[in-house]
Amino acid sequence: MTNIRTIIAIVVLGIATVGQAQTYPSQLMNHETEINAIIKEITLEEKIAMLHGKNMFSSAGIPRLGIADIEYADGPFGIREEMGPHSWNSLHLTTDSATFFPTGSALAATWSTEWAYAYGRGMSREARLRGKDMILGPAINIQRIPTGGRTYEYLSEDPLLSGMLSVAYTKGSQDDGTAVCLKHYALNNQEDYRGFVDVRISDRAMHEIYLRPFEMAVREADAWGVMAAYNKVNGRWCSENELLLNTILRQQWGFPGMVISDWGGVHSTVDAVTSGMNVEMPGDRFMGKALLDSVKAGKVSEEVINQRVREILRVRLTVKPIAKEKANSVPVGNPEEMKVALEVARRSIVLLKNDGQLLPIDLQRIKSIAVIGENAVTPMALGGVGAGVKTRQEITPLEGLQKVLGDQVKITYVQGYKGFDRQSRNERKSPQQKADTQLLAQAVKAAKKADLVIFFAGDNREVETEGSDRKSITLPSGQDELAEALAKANKRLVTVIVSGGPVDVSVVKEVSGALVASWFNGSMGGQALAEVLAGKISPSGKLPMTWPLQLNDVPAYATKSYPQDRRQETVDIFVGVTQNRSNDRFQQLIANYTEEDLVGYRWYDCKAVPVAYPFGYGLSYAQFQYSDLKVTPTAEGFDVCFILTNTSSTNAEEVAQVYVSRPQSHIDRPVKELKGFQRVALKAGERKEVTIPIRRSDLCHWDESAQTWMLEPDSLIIQVGGSSDNLPLHLEAKL
C-alpha cells in the first residue's frame, strides 16, 4: 500500500501526473506482527463478533485476549451524553456533560487550521475522559445546498477549505490519542431521502469536489476511521460500494484503517464485507449470524474476514483503551476546552454590513439597548434530530451582553417572536409563520424607548436538523415582518443572524444598519458575540459558503436536480432512459448532480449570478491594504508573497485568500478556485509580509481516462485579497 501514497512525477502526453501530498506513513501499520499472532488465536465466531455493533455506541473486542471493545463518541462538535445500551434514551448521568464546541460551519468561518487543530485536540481530551476511542467526526461533506439539514455540521462549499480544516481537526484529535471517523463517505449532501437517494455524478466532479476533503484527511492526516454514508453513489450503496471503499479509499489513497456504517446503513452481507465494510452499526442484522453463515457456506472467504479484523485491530492497538471504571468519573466541559470553544467562536463571527459604523457599540452615546428575539435566549447545544451536547455551560447572546456590558448600559429583553419548537416540528408545521401581533407590538414598544436595538433573528436547532432539509431559506416565525417594524421604530437596528447556514437576508439587510452572522456558536458563543458587538475584539470571520439572494439561484435548484420529485418521471443521465420512480422510491430515487463541479461560488462566477454575500466575505472594524504581490516557484509549487497592512487604529485579524484562474486551459474549469489562505493578526498600523504556499498537487485535475490526478502545464493568474469578490492583487505565473 505504501507505494500508492508516494508522490509520482511522470509525463504522459505533455500532462504531468502528480500524486497528492503526504506527511508520514500511517501509525496504524506499527502493529502488524502482533496482529498476525492475534488473528491466529481467535475463532471465527470471535472475528464475526467484532464486525458489528455490540451496543448502541460500541463494537466488540476480544475479552479473553484482553482486547477492549471500541467505544464511539457521537458527534463532531461535542461528546454526546451516555445512552442505554440498545436505545437512544439518556442514562441521566451527572458526569457525562461536555463542551459544546461551535458547529462545523462556525469552525469553517474561522478559516483557521491552528484553531481547527485545537478544536480536534479539545474534542479528544473530552472523549478520553468519557472513555471513548473514536469520535464520529469531523463531518466534512460539501455544502451543496444551503437548505441541507446538516449544513451546520459540515464545513464549507469549497473542497480545499474543508480539506485543510479536516486535516487539522484530524491531527489534533489523533495526536491526542483519539481516532477520528470521517463522515459521511460519500456525497451525503442532503437529508431528505438520504436513506435511498442515488447520487449520479461524473468521476471528475466526484474526485475534485466531493471526495477531496476525505482524501486530504486520509493522506495528509492519516485518519484512522471513515463512516460510510446512507445514500447510494452511481447505483451502489455507500456501505457496499466497491469503487468507494476498496478502489478509491483503500487502494488509491492507501487507507489502512476501519470503515463503520452510519447507523442502520448496511443493506447486505456478502457485498458489504467484501467491498470493505468493517463494522455494521449499531446491530448485527447483516454482519452477525448472516455473515457467519455466509463464511461457513463458502460465500465469503475467511481471508476476507481476517482482513476486516486486521483493519479493526490496527485502530484498536493504536488507540489506548480507557478502563470502564475511569470513564465518566470526572466532569467534562472544563476551562481549557471552554477556552478553545471561546477562541473559535470569536474568530467565526462574520460582520456582513456596518453602515455608519453602527458597530462597535458606542457606550458614550448608547445608554439603553433593546434586545429583541427568542434566539437571544435560546440554547443551541440540543434540538432537532441527531447528535447534541449535554453541556455544563452555554452562554446565550443575552447573557453575553449582560456579562460584557455590565452596568454600563441598560438592557431590556423582549421575546419578539415565538420560535419553531419540537412540537411544531413533530406536527409537521412550517417554520414560515406570520409574526405574532402581540409579541411584535411589545417589541416595537421596547425599540422606541431604546438607544439601540439588537434583533436576534435566524434559525434554531429544530429548524436546521438532521433527517430533513429546510424547504426555504426565508427567515422563520415572521422575522422579516418584525424587522421592518423594528426599523420603523428605531433607525439604530443591528440584526444578528443565528443559524448554521445561509438564510434570505434581503429584508433584514435593507432595514438594518448592521448585520452579523453568529452561527450555532457553542458554549461560549454568547460571550464571543458580545465582545465583538462591544468592540473588545474586531470581527474576523469569513463566510465559508455563499449566501444566495434566493433559493432558485443555488446551482442544485437552478438545474432542478434538487429537490427530487417522486411524483414525476425522472431522466437518468447515466443510462439515458426515462423511468417512473414513484412506486420504486427506495431503490431508484435519482439525484443527478448536473452542475458537476460548479458548486457554490464556482457556479455564481460562471453564470454571473449576483449573490447576497460571496464566499470568503467578512468585514472588520479595521481596514487592510494588500500590496507588492510576488510569486516564487518552489519544489512543491509556488509561494505567493505579498504585503498586508492594517491601515486603521484597531488591532485585528484578516483572512488573506489566494485564488487561481486558468483562462488558457484546454479543460473546462471554474472562473477561479480557492488554492490557499492564511489568517494574519495585525496590530494597528502594522505591516507584514505574508507567504501562502500553493501546492502543485492542489492545481491538478482528475483525469477520468487515466484515473489519476493530472497537472496541465499552462499559465495561471494568481489573485489575492480578502474575499472571493475582492481580489486587488493579480499576477500571471507559469506552470
Side-chain angles (χ1 to χ4, degrees):
M1 288 186 185
T2 54
N3 63 324
I4 299 170
R5 302 177 72 166
T6 59
I7 295 178
I8 316 165
I10 60 174
V11 175
V12 181
L13 300 177
I15 299 179
T17 306
V18 180
Q20 299 305 290
Q22 174 196 0
T23 52
Y24 45 77
S26 177
Q27 293 183 52
L28 297 182
M29 302 303 292
N30 295 338
H31 306 279
E32 294 303 284
T33 301
E34 185 178 356
I35 290 171
N36 289 339
I38 292 171
I39 289 176
K40 290 178 181 179
E41 290 291 320
I42 54 181
T43 66
L44 176 61
E45 288 74 13
E46 287 173 323
K47 294 172 187 175
I48 299 297
M50 297 177 67
L51 304 186
H52 58 78
K54 177 180 180 180
N55 293 319
M56 184 60 75
F57 285 101
S58 69
S59 57
I62 311 168
R64 69 180 180 85
L65 297 181
I67 297 174
D69 300 345
I70 295 180
E71 304 289 340
Y72 304 99
D74 198 21
F77 54 87
I79 310 303
R80 193 172 188 164
E81 66 188 299
E82 300 298 323
M83 298 179 212
H86 303 291
S87 77
W88 296 100
N89 297 325
S90 172
L91 290 179
H92 301 292
L93 304 181
T94 59
T95 55
D96 62 346
S97 58
T99 299
F100 169 28
F101 289 90
T103 60
S105 54
L107 174 62
T110 70
W111 291 59
S112 172
T113 54
E114 174 189 357
W115 286 104
Y117 182 93
Y119 188 116
R121 181 176 181 273
M123 286 284 294
S124 173
R125 284 169 55 85
E126 299 209 338
R128 299 273 82 191
L129 289 172
R130 292 278 305 281
K132 309 302 181 184
D133 302 303
M134 177 177 282
I135 294 168
L136 302 181
I140 61 176
N141 292 98
I142 293 296
Q143 296 168 336
R144 180 180 182 240
I145 54 173
T147 50
R150 303 184 88 162
T151 292
Y152 74 94
E153 284 191 52
Y154 297 151
L155 296 171
S156 173
E157 68 185 29
D158 181 81
L160 182 75
L161 178 57
S162 296
M164 291 183 71
L165 296 177
S166 302
V167 166
Y169 180 125
T170 297
K171 288 181 177 179
S173 176
Q174 294 187 168
D175 285 354
D176 189 71
T178 309
V180 301
C181 185
L182 307 174
K183 67 182 190 182
H184 306 86
Y185 184 72
L187 292 107
N188 181 185
N189 308 111
Q190 65 185 72
E191 289 298 286
D192 283 355
Y193 314 128
R194 68 179 183 179
F196 49 86
V197 70
D198 186 356
V199 173
R200 300 298 176 91
I201 186 171
S202 72
D203 210 32
R204 182 182 169 197
M206 180 172 69
H207 278 271
E208 291 185 11
I209 303 295
Y210 296 96
L211 297 188
R212 186 74 177 115
F214 290 94
E215 180 177 9
M216 290 175 69
V218 167
R219 303 186 76 150
E220 298 175 35
D222 187 27
W224 298 338
V226 170
M227 179 186 290
Y230 282 123
N231 51 283
K232 289 183 176 181
V233 173
N234 292 337
R236 296 297 303 268
W237 297 110
C238 288
S239 60
E240 56 188 56
N241 196 305
E242 174 75 18
L243 175 66
L244 287 178
L245 299 185
N246 276 341
T247 303
I248 295 175
L249 180 63
R250 297 196 185 279
Q251 295 173 20
Q252 291 179 359
W253 300 350
F255 175 70
M258 58 185 286
V259 176
I260 69 170
S261 76
D262 208 336
W263 270 229
V266 174
H267 297 268
S268 67
T269 297
V270 176
D271 287 348
V273 75
T274 57
S275 295
M277 177 61 60
N278 293 92
V279 180
E280 174 190 8
M281 290 297 295
D284 62 354
R285 179 183 178 188
F286 294 101
M287 294 178 67
K289 185 177 184 302
L291 181 54
L292 180 62
D293 292 344
S294 296
V295 176
K296 291 180 177 179
K299 296 179 180 179
V300 177
S301 71
E302 192 163 355
E303 182 181 352
V304 168
I305 301 300
N306 288 345
Q307 182 62 23
R308 298 291 87 87
V309 168
R310 176 180 299 276
E311 290 151 356
I312 295 170
L313 286 172
R314 287 171 179 163
V315 177
R316 177 66 283 174
L317 296 182
T318 301
V319 178
K320 183 179 179 180
I322 303 297
K324 293 188 182 300
E325 60 272 16
K326 291 186 177 181
N328 295 302
S329 60
V330 296
V332 182
N334 296 310
E336 184 173 347
E337 280 63 62
M338 288 291 180
K339 175 68 172 175
V340 172
L342 175 61
E343 294 293 350
V344 170
R346 283 171 170 164
R347 288 164 176 80
S348 74
I349 295 164
V350 183
L351 180 61
L352 298 172
K353 177 183 179 182
N354 193 23
D355 286 358
Q357 294 184 321
L358 191 55
L359 292 175
I361 299 169
D362 183 354
L363 293 176
Q364 298 299 315
R365 299 172 57 196
I366 304 300
K367 299 301 180 184
S368 62
I369 299 176
V371 174
I372 310 294
E374 196 173 284
N375 274 355
V377 298
T378 301
M380 298 296 176
L382 297 169
V385 176
V389 186
K390 188 174 80 174
T391 185
R392 291 169 65 189
Q393 180 183 21
E394 182 178 352
I395 298 175
T396 65
L398 178 60
E399 291 169 340
L401 287 167
Q402 291 168 335
K403 177 180 180 180
V404 170
L405 298 178
D407 57 3
Q408 300 175 80
V409 64
K410 179 184 177 182
I411 298 175
T412 302
Y413 168 70
V414 179
Q415 182 179 353
Y417 58 84
K418 186 180 186 303
F420 191 69
D421 59 19
R422 176 66 60 91
Q423 181 178 345
S424 297
R425 183 170 57 79
N426 290 342
E427 293 174 356
R428 299 185 179 276
K429 293 181 179 179
S430 169
Q432 310 305 326
Q433 302 292 330
K434 292 184 177 180
D436 183 294
T437 55
Q438 183 177 354
L439 294 177
L440 186 150
Q442 293 171 356
V444 168
K445 182 179 179 181
K448 288 179 178 178
K449 295 179 179 179
D451 295 331
L452 178 72
V453 177
I454 305 179
F455 174 41
F456 285 87
D459 298 328
N460 60 28
R461 292 283 304 284
E462 298 295 340
V463 176
E464 298 187 45
T465 175
E466 179 181 347
S468 63
D469 298 327
R470 286 183 286 160
K471 303 303 179 282
S472 168
I473 57 172
T474 302
L475 289 170
S477 308
Q479 292 175 12
D480 282 340
E481 183 182 349
L482 176 55
E484 290 175 317
L486 292 174
K488 290 178 181 178
N490 193 320
K491 293 182 179 179
R492 292 194 181 97
L493 174 63
V494 175
T495 296
V496 177
I497 301 294
V498 179
S499 71
V503 296
D504 183 343
V505 293
S506 55
V507 172
V508 293
K509 179 181 179 181
E510 180 68 25
V511 302
S512 305
L515 189 61
V516 177
S518 76
W519 317 106
F520 299 146
N521 225 349
S523 288
M524 306 300 289
Q527 178 176 329
L529 177 64
E531 290 173 346
V532 168
L533 297 178
K536 292 186 178 297
I537 57 174
S538 180
S540 60
K542 302 279 188 170
L543 292 179
M545 77 290 281
T546 308
W547 284 32
L549 281 172
Q550 58 183 354
L551 206 50
N552 287 339
D553 292 337
V554 175
Y557 287 83
T559 58
K560 301 188 185 305
S561 56
Y562 180 90
Q564 295 82 29
D565 189 347
R566 293 188 288 108
R567 297 169 299 174
Q568 299 177 1
E569 291 185 335
T570 57
V571 177
D572 185 335
I573 63 172
F574 278 78
V575 297
V577 296
T578 301
Q579 302 177 35
N580 190 313
R581 310 295 187 189
S582 60
N583 296 320
D584 197 17
R585 63 173 190 155
F586 285 92
Q587 299 297 323
Q588 299 297 333
L589 187 65
I590 304 296
N592 285 319
Y593 282 28
T594 50
E595 75 276 17
E596 293 291 339
D597 63 335
L598 297 180
V599 180
Y601 69 91
R602 292 166 167 81
W603 173 270
Y604 302 111
D605 282 352
C606 180
K607 305 298 181 182
V609 176
V611 300
Y613 291 107
F615 175 75
Y617 179 87
L619 302 175
S620 171
Y621 297 150
Q623 293 81 46
F624 301 99
Q625 182 180 77
Y626 289 79
S627 63
D628 302 314
L629 176 62
K630 296 183 296 183
V631 177
T632 305
T634 67
E636 296 298 324
F638 297 98
D639 276 347
V640 177
C641 304
F642 53 94
I643 301 298
L644 183 62
T645 305
N646 181 347
T647 60
S648 74
S649 58
T650 301
N651 297 341
E653 296 183 11
E654 166 71 334
V655 177
Q657 302 162 41
V658 179
Y659 294 81
V660 170
S661 296
R662 309 280 284 274
Q664 298 179 24
S665 175
H666 298 290
I667 302 164
D668 287 338
R669 295 183 185 272
V671 174
K672 63 177 179 291
E673 296 179 281
L674 179 72
K675 294 302 177 185
F677 59 89
Q678 186 173 318
R679 174 173 281 272
V680 184
L682 293 166
K683 295 178 181 178
E686 187 177 6
R687 181 177 185 268
K688 279 186 180 180
E689 183 175 57
V690 179
T691 299
I692 299 178
I694 306 300
R695 304 182 304 183
R696 190 172 286 106
S697 58
D698 289 325
L699 298 173
C700 293
H701 68 279
W702 183 258
D703 186 280
E704 294 185 337
S705 59
Q707 284 295 292
T708 191
W709 292 101
M710 294 286 195
L711 182 65
E712 182 188 25
D714 65 359
S715 295
L716 310 175
I717 296 178
I718 309 292
Q719 304 172 71
V720 180
S723 76
S724 63
D725 76 335
N726 180 20
L727 300 166
L729 303 184
H730 302 256
L731 193 65
E732 186 173 342
K734 292 281 188 180
L735 271 175

